[in-house]
Amino acid sequence: MNEILARREGAIGRLSLNRPRALNALAQAMCEDMSVALLQWRDDPGVEAVILDHVGGRGFCAGGDVVSVRHSALEDGGVAGRAFFMAEYRLNHLLFTFPKPVIAFMDGVTMGGGVGLALPANIRVATENTLFAMPEGSIGLFPDVGAGYYLPRLPGHIGKFLALTGARLDGAECLWAGLATHYCDSDDLAEAKELIAKEPAAADEILRDLATSTPDARIAGNAAAIARLFAPDTLEEVKAALAADDSNWASKELKAVRSRCPTSAKVALRLFSMGSQHSDFATEMELEYRIAAHMIMRNDFAEGVRAVLVDKDNSAKWKPAKAEDVTSQILDAIFAPLPAGEEWTPLALPN
Ligand code: QUE
């Protein structure tokens, strides 16, 4: 069964995710297959650009195969889980440094690992089906796949808001936030891809010509509140700011922050303050891999995946349960370097 379709169409290489029953959640072999095709196209002068999309169904890509990673943490000391993240982050880095234009079609659920495929693309197309989120806080993980690089660079503390609440954005909101570069009706995508395959250099113009009027971005109405209430650097201060605001919106978002893993939230905040300083994406991936290697072995990850994806009771018991009890010593251990020979390394240096 082929979970990645890789083929040439005209002057483009086309990669289509094809694991629709799991909303195209990424397994290690899918990441490796995509990397092999990209390396081949990188060096093929007949390939001028790459299209990244999915075959059908509701998902572009819902994330990584975290149920398997949990199994690895419980059964093999996390060996297979670390191998998955190594392959996934190598793919993220290859896309980020790819020397030809990449065009990603976020025409459906785009969460976690799917965000890591879409955001390094030069052209990112949202549609009426786009549903974007960084939901890792609800499984005791952290916003990874380069989120530590991308999210702190969004204006008005939107990235912190997305990480701490797991908020879902629609396609119009993705365009508004700069997460997408274009908005098209999904009915026009087949035509767009056909035209782009004939003339990849005109992709931007082709997508602009096909663009219909974009619906209003609902999040725009909350942008001022997000910029104000998510400005603080600590989890305790963000929660206090939300609690002090008497709007319904703030109390709903406070509930979202409170229900999520407090260690995940503090890891996200420390990662964002470091990631905003990284000018090199490889440095970002090396740091995120250290964090992932440590976090998948913590009880919160097994418990979070159990609650959301295995038993689906959505009632994870976090340890520590309180923000105040997530100490800097806990965070230091999660951010610590790995033993020699076990650190993340890129797949291939850019040309
Ligand atoms: C956090 C996550 C993931 C998630 C939910 C979270 C994730 C992921 C999936 C997912 C969803 C539907 C599927 C599937 C996986 O959900 O990474 O196979 O059919 O892959 O709260 O990080």
Side-chain angles (χ1 to χ4, degrees):
M1 206 181 47
N2 228 337
E3 296 183 333
I4 296 294
L5 304 184
R7 65 268 191 227
R8 286 283 311 278
E9 284 176 6
I12 57 129
R14 184 165 172 190
L15 279 177
S16 303
L17 300 168
N18 183 32
R19 196 191 178 203
R21 279 168 297 102
L23 292 177
N24 298 318
L26 296 172
Q28 185 178 335
M30 295 164 72
C31 297
E32 290 167 349
D33 289 353
M34 283 193 270
S35 296
V36 166
L38 286 167
L39 287 174
Q40 207 181 337
W41 293 336
R42 190 184 66 176
D43 300 326
D44 181 343
V47 174
E48 292 172 34
V50 170
I51 285 183
L52 190 49
D53 65 2
H54 73 287
V55 166
R58 281 197 314 118
F60 167 61
C61 176
D65 188 353
V66 285
V67 174
S68 295
V69 175
R70 173 180 184 266
H71 185 76
S72 162
L74 298 175
E75 301 295 333
D76 76 2
V79 172
R82 289 188 291 279
F84 164 70
F85 284 112
M86 179 67 77
E88 185 187 31
Y89 296 177
R90 281 176 164 172
L91 171 61
N92 297 147
H93 176 263
L94 181 59
L95 286 165
F96 189 95
T97 57
F98 205 69
K100 300 174 183 183
V102 177
I103 303 140
F105 289 88
M106 305 154 66
D107 182 31
V109 173
T110 304
M111 301 195 314
V115 173
L117 301 180
L119 288 194
N122 312 76
I123 292 183
R124 305 178 295 278
V125 184
T127 72
E128 77 281 6
N129 298 319
T130 301
L131 189 78
F132 178 105
M134 290 305 284
E136 293 88 348
S138 59
I139 58 164
L141 207 58
F142 70 105
D144 66 338
V145 295
Y149 183 94
Y150 306 114
L151 297 196
R153 286 172 170 75
L154 298 178
H157 301 293
I158 294 287
K160 250 193 268 182
F161 166 70
L162 292 171
L164 298 186
T165 65
R168 295 168 166 213
L169 303 187
D170 65 22
E173 293 174 315
C174 285
L175 186 71
W176 176 89
L179 294 160
T181 58
H182 296 72
Y183 184 97
C184 285
D185 198 289
S186 64
D187 284 344
D188 294 328
L189 295 187
E191 186 186 353
K193 291 169 194 175
E194 227 173 275
L195 292 171
I196 291 169
K198 285 188 194 130
E199 202 185 351
D204 173 60
E205 209 183 317
I206 289 164
L207 290 163
R208 267 174 214 287
D209 285 349
L210 284 172
T212 46
S213 70
T214 311
D216 286 340
R218 278 175 292 118
I219 194 176
N222 295 320
I226 291 170
R228 186 163 45 85
L229 302 173
F230 287 83
D233 292 327
T234 69
L235 179 59
E236 289 86 346
E237 288 171 291
V238 170
K239 284 164 70 179
L242 288 168
D245 190 282
D246 54 18
S247 69
N248 286 339
W249 176 82
S251 65
K252 180 175 75 84
E253 299 304 343
L254 177 59
K255 244 186 227 155
V257 174
R258 278 205 181 120
S259 72
R260 309 175 107 70
C261 173
T263 302
S264 296
K266 288 205 174 180
V267 166
L269 292 174
R270 187 186 279 204
L271 174 65
F272 287 7
S273 73
M274 295 172 77
S276 64
Q277 309 300 313
H278 290 154
S279 55
D280 178 10
F281 196 73
T283 308
E284 175 66 30
M285 294 328 302
E286 180 185 52
L287 176 60
E288 291 188 9
Y289 183 76
R290 291 174 179 174
I291 299 169
H294 290 119
M295 284 192 98
I296 61 170
M297 300 310 293
R298 298 181 77 258
N299 180 72
D300 279 350
F301 175 68
E303 169 64 2
V305 174
R306 181 206 64 74
V308 174
L309 294 168
V310 179
D311 296 339
K312 306 188 184 191
D313 57 25
N314 288 310
S315 62
K317 299 271 175 292
W318 309 118
K319 284 186 218 159
K322 289 189 195 146
E324 309 81 87
D325 296 333
V326 180
T327 60
S328 58
Q329 286 90 328
I330 292 175
L331 297 176
D332 290 347
I334 290 172
F335 281 73
L338 301 175
E342 293 180 27
E343 297 269 22
W344 182 84
T345 52
L347 189 59
L349 295 169
N351 285 335

